């Protein structure tokens, strides 16, 4: 009975899109093991998963899959877990005194739902108003990608990007909107292939000044 109740609770958490903390849940010893050993161990365990499912790992198409999956997890789709991969965000003096809103829209991102480990993908729209410094445009994209490349819930991902930009840019005037499709919704469960999820983060003028917020919303709604 206790196991059934626990399993029901796990299912409810996954279906209700629950996030438990602002920080990505990590153990203190998360990075004591080097990446090569992580790949080796994940490969071993994923091979066992495939065996349990009855797949023939002697088949030419499948025999390399455990290694490919392990390498993909550690080196690619979950590389944002490791702080050593955090992008260095160099700032430049705002010599041209541009003090209006800067908007970087339609930033493509790919993440993974931490409840089912299936993809979340969509577009991020970011804006900030300079407080004396500016950042290279590609660095905004890299910050979005860094926090995306880990198991996530979209609400946390949006907040992590917003707070990182506040810290890096030294301004409270930051806005982030993310519009994403969740494969845990479209490819399983309710199987809804049309709906997307929108989350937002507004700080400084974007939170307290309706005109600034509406200007941002107008820019990202422009037709291409």
């Amino acid at each position: 009975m206790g196991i059934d109740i626990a399993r029901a609770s796990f299912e409810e958490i996954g279906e209700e899109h629950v996030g438990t903390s602002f920080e990505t849940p990590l153990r203190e010893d998360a990075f004591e093991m080097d990446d090569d050993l992580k790949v080796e161990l994940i490969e071993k365990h994923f091979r066992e998963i495939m065996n349990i499912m009855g797949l023939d790992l002697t088949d030419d198409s499948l025999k390399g899959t455990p290694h490919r999956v392990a390498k993909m997890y550690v080196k690619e789709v979950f590389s944002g877990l490791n702080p050593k991969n955090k992008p260095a965000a160099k700032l430049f003096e705002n010599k041209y005194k541009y003090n209006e809103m800067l908007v970087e829209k339609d930033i493509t991102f790919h993440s993974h739902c931490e409840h089912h480990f299936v993809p979340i993908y969509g577009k991020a729209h970011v804006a900030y108003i300079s407080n004396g410094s500016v950042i290279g445009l590609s660095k905004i994209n890299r910050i979005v990608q860094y926090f995306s490349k880990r198991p996530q819930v979209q609400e946390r991902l949006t907040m992590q990007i917003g707070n990182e930009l506040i810290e890096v840019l030294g301004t409270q005037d930051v806005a982030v909107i993310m519009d994403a499709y969740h494969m845990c919704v479209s490819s399983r469960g309710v199987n809804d292939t049309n709906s997307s999820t929108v989350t937002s983060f507004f700080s400084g003028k974007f939170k307290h000044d309706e005109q600034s917020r509406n200007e941002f919303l107008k820019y990202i709604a422009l037709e291409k």
Side-chain angles (χ1 to χ4, degrees):
M1 177 68 72
I3 294 176
D4 290 340
I5 292 173
R7 183 177 293 118
S9 177
F10 294 154
E11 291 293 337
E12 288 169 5
I13 287 175
E15 297 301 335
E16 295 301 328
H17 201 61
V18 172
T20 57
S21 64
F22 167 71
E23 298 293 339
T24 301
L26 285 167
R27 300 195 320 271
E28 290 185 3
D29 64 348
F31 307 108
E32 291 180 5
M33 188 183 301
D34 67 46
D35 284 355
D36 289 339
L37 180 55
K38 287 183 178 182
V39 170
E40 180 183 332
L41 292 174
I42 292 171
E43 178 181 350
K44 173 184 175 183
H45 289 295
F46 199 80
R47 179 177 289 107
E48 184 60 24
I49 289 172
M50 295 178 71
N51 276 322
I52 291 169
M53 292 193 298
L55 294 167
D56 180 5
L57 284 165
T58 66
D59 184 271
D60 286 344
S61 181
L62 294 178
K63 62 185 179 182
T65 297
H67 179 73
R68 286 190 292 265
V69 170
K71 184 178 178 182
M72 175 184 70
Y73 275 7
V74 175
K75 304 287 189 179
E76 298 176 55
V77 299
F78 298 135
S79 61
L81 287 171
N82 196 329
K84 75 178 184 181
N85 296 323
K86 189 174 183 178
K90 184 178 180 180
L91 296 180
F92 303 91
E93 183 183 351
N94 185 6
K95 292 183 178 180
Y96 26 86
K97 307 301 180 185
Y98 182 76
N99 58 4
E100 299 297 328
M101 186 184 308
L102 184 146
V103 179
E104 185 85 357
K105 58 184 273 188
D106 293 332
I107 301 170
T108 301
F109 73 92
H110 293 85
S111 190
H112 278 72
C113 164
E114 68 182 34
H115 299 140
H116 296 97
F117 268 48
V118 293
I120 302 170
Y121 62 95
K123 301 287 186 181
H125 313 288
V126 175
Y128 76 94
I129 300 172
S130 173
N131 191 28
S133 299
V134 294
I135 190 173
L137 295 180
S138 67
K139 290 300 189 290
I140 297 176
N141 296 60
R142 292 184 187 279
I143 288 171
V144 172
Q145 304 306 333
Y146 171 69
F147 287 103
S148 298
K149 291 186 180 298
R150 56 179 70 179
Q152 280 286 17
V153 292
Q154 188 174 327
E155 298 91 333
R156 180 200 295 135
L157 173 58
T158 308
M159 293 172 63
Q160 287 178 335
I161 293 168
N163 280 291
E164 179 69 12
L165 288 167
I166 286 173
E167 182 175 346
V168 167
L169 291 165
T171 176
Q172 289 291 319
D173 302 329
V174 168
V176 180
I177 286 184
M178 307 194 80
D179 186 359
Y181 294 94
H182 292 241
M183 298 263 326
C184 56
V185 174
S186 63
S187 66
R188 57 163 301 281
V190 73
N191 288 307
D192 183 345
T193 59
N194 293 316
S195 64
S196 67
T197 300
V198 178
T199 49
S200 63
F201 175 98
F202 296 118
S203 182
K205 289 183 179 179
F206 293 101
K207 184 173 183 178
H208 302 294
D209 179 10
E210 184 177 356
Q211 182 176 345
S212 295
R213 184 167 61 252
N214 288 341
E215 182 181 350
F216 170 56
L217 295 174
K218 180 189 72 173
Y219 287 150
I220 66 173
L222 289 177
E223 294 184 1
K224 297 179 181 179

